[in-house]
Amino acid sequence: AAITPALIVGAFAERMKFSAVALFIPLWVTLIYFPIAHMVWYWAGPDAISDAVKALAAAGDAAAKTAAQAKLDEVNADAGWIFKKGAIDFAGGTVVHINAGIAGLVGALLIGKRTGYGKDLMAPHSLTMSMIGASLLWVGWFGFNAGSNLEASGGAALAMTNSFVATAAAAMSWMFAEWIIKGHPSVLGAISGAVAGLVAVTPAAGYSGPMGAIVLGLVVGVVCLFFCTVVKNALGYDDSLDVFGVHCIGGIVGALGTGILVNPALGGAGIMDYTTGKIADYDFADQMISQTWGVCTTLVWSGVGSAILYKVVDVIVGLRATVEVEREGLDITEHTERAYNM
């Protein structure tokens, strides 16, 4: 809930008023993030299901069996809407990345391009700081993904391993693809690929096998590079930090990829059926339909809901800083602070 709005802000950095950000974020977290998090992750839990199954098995007469079965049905029904659709998301591909990515794109479109975008040079401020930030993200993401296992077990070790190898693979694939297309590799490309890999492996971390995670990273690095260059240039939108191209697209690749890589035949962990107490049979079509439900629901809920919230905030305090304020810098004009004494 704290990370996700920080991702959104990256899409319209340097041009949205601080008062608008301060109003938009609590509204967005409450009305967009929390409902999606509930839809994707809320359920009664394994203990409630196993207890209901035990009660059903121990029931003697028909009336007791009927009551126990009703209890089991009630427990299974006590879950979020997307969860009941069968969609799996280990650590937030839909909840965090698609959710934030589409909200960021909508914001960038509604607020408009930065003054001078496409005309003035807008090179990265500091590649050194970008490298430091990406490195901190990679380390912190181990807690993000492995911590989502909720216990120090083999599942956490798997999530941590996947979070490493998928990220490394995506950094390499972005770098080499950029090298082939543009004729040179870059630090910014490598770290952008690393973040794309982290995004994609987030929903798959505890479900995919390590080899599957590597393949996922190799794929997402190229796909996100394509969206951050070709698609972005073709459509002409100003997504300052490529929140849509990396997080939303990477989240979609990861969410759909999770539906494939969870297959035990591909080295995946499978999906536990707590009613039977064993790994459920894998069905490709059913699982991909479930994953698509998760992706599309998040896109619609966050895309439409965010657009409404931006409009509400625009009416109350206004979204866009003036050209003069933007050119001088929001740090100086809105906060009377300088990042550097120069």
Side-chain angles (χ1 to χ4, degrees):
I3 293 169
T4 312
L7 299 179
I8 298 173
V9 171
F12 43 75
E14 303 183 34
R15 56 197 190 272
M16 186 172 177
K17 295 196 296 186
F18 181 71
S19 58
V21 173
L23 178 58
F24 174 78
I25 287 177
L27 289 173
W28 189 89
V29 169
T30 303
L31 300 174
I32 308 298
Y33 177 85
F34 288 147
I36 290 291
H38 183 280
M39 281 190 257
V40 172
W41 282 329
Y42 177 72
W43 65 304
D47 290 343
I49 293 175
S50 58
D51 289 347
V53 170
K54 290 176 183 176
L56 179 60
D61 56 28
K65 286 185 180 295
T66 301
Q69 183 62 55
K71 179 62 177 177
L72 178 59
D73 294 341
E74 179 184 339
V75 169
N76 286 327
D78 186 20
W81 191 79
I82 294 175
F83 189 97
K84 286 191 287 188
K85 288 290 184 182
I88 53 174
D89 183 349
F90 192 76
T94 51
V95 179
V96 175
H97 299 291
I98 299 175
N99 209 4
I102 191 64
L105 176 64
V106 171
L109 292 173
L110 292 178
I111 296 168
K113 302 175 184 179
R114 283 169 289 178
T115 300
Y117 180 77
K119 300 176 183 177
D120 301 336
L121 176 63
M122 295 183 175
H125 167 68
S126 170
L127 282 176
T128 303
M129 288 190 175
S130 296
M131 185 67 190
I132 293 170
S135 302
L136 289 171
L137 268 178
W138 195 339
V139 174
W141 222 293
F142 289 131
F144 191 82
N145 284 354
S148 292
N149 193 62
L150 304 181
E151 58 182 358
S153 66
L158 176 65
M160 189 163 183
T161 300
N162 288 340
S163 299
F164 185 84
V165 297
T167 307
M172 287 181 59
S173 69
W174 185 304
M175 183 191 74
F176 280 110
E178 185 180 44
W179 199 348
I180 293 169
I181 296 169
K182 298 184 178 180
H184 57 81
S186 69
V187 170
L188 187 63
I191 61 178
S192 297
V195 175
L198 288 165
V199 169
V201 79
T202 293
Y207 293 115
S208 170
M211 289 305 298
I214 291 173
V215 172
L216 184 64
L218 293 173
V219 170
V220 79
V222 176
V223 172
C224 287
L225 171 62
F226 176 77
F227 271 87
C228 290
T229 53
V230 177
V231 174
K232 182 179 178 181
N233 292 334
L235 299 180
Y237 60 87
D238 181 13
D239 179 353
S240 304
L241 303 180
D242 289 319
V243 176
F244 176 75
V246 172
H247 290 277
C248 188
I249 298 302
I252 292 172
V253 172
L256 297 178
T258 301
I260 300 171
L261 299 176
V262 70
N263 185 357
L266 298 177
I271 303 172
M272 175 62 72
D273 183 349
Y274 290 99
T275 302
T276 61
K278 61 181 182 180
I279 299 297
D281 293 334
Y282 175 81
D283 185 293
F284 173 77
D286 285 349
Q287 193 58 52
M288 292 308 293
I289 290 171
S290 297
Q291 297 304 106
T292 303
W293 268 110
V295 169
C296 293
T297 302
T298 306
L299 287 172
V300 172
W301 183 274
S302 183
V304 175
S306 297
I308 295 171
L309 291 182
Y310 283 121
K311 289 297 184 182
V312 170
V313 171
D314 193 23
V315 169
I316 297 174
V317 297
L319 289 174
R320 185 72 186 249
T322 64
V323 174
E324 294 76 16
V325 166
E326 187 180 338
R327 286 198 178 279
E328 189 171 356
L330 298 177
D331 56 342
I332 297 172
T333 55
E334 293 214 332
H335 306 290
T336 64
E337 296 173 321
R338 291 180 180 269
Y340 305 99
N341 291 319
M342 292 192 301

